Amino acid sequence: MAKILLVEDNEMNRDMLSRRLKRNGYDVVIAVDGQQGVEMAASEAPDLILMDMSLPVIDGWEATRRVKQDDATRKIPVIALTAHAMAGDREKAMEAGCEDYDTKPVEITRLLGKITALLASGAS
């Protein structure tokens, strides 16, 4: 069973996503801010990270950069989850180190497809 680290500060989004991911067979661990996300990336060794980009303590952009700068966590694929859907936001997520990008509100079928593809490719 693949383990997903969900980094999300919004309780409603966190609850909805974690339930749907579990229902689809994933083991889900949760962080509620960017700093905790960076720490849990190292301690939990997830197979993939879903990173909200608007987080307290440190934002998702910086948290992703820190995950990608650490030799122990750099190969964990990160999907940015964000309401930032302006031109250039996808490129900004890729520059931070994300392997993919998805906009909120989350369309679960589309997100599951991205998760499956990244896990199957062994992306890093």
Side-chain angles (χ1 to χ4, degrees), residues 35-54:
Q35 181 63 43
Q36 187 180 34
V38 172
E39 292 166 3
M40 288 182 71
S43 66
E44 295 287 335
D47 299 294
L48 184 138
I49 299 171
L50 295 176
M51 182 76 74
D52 179 21
M53 303 315 273
S54 298

Side-chain angles (χ1 to χ4, degrees), residues 73-84:
T73 57
R74 78 176 49 210
K75 292 188 176 186
I76 303 170
V78 178
I79 298 176
L81 296 179
T82 180
H84 297 274

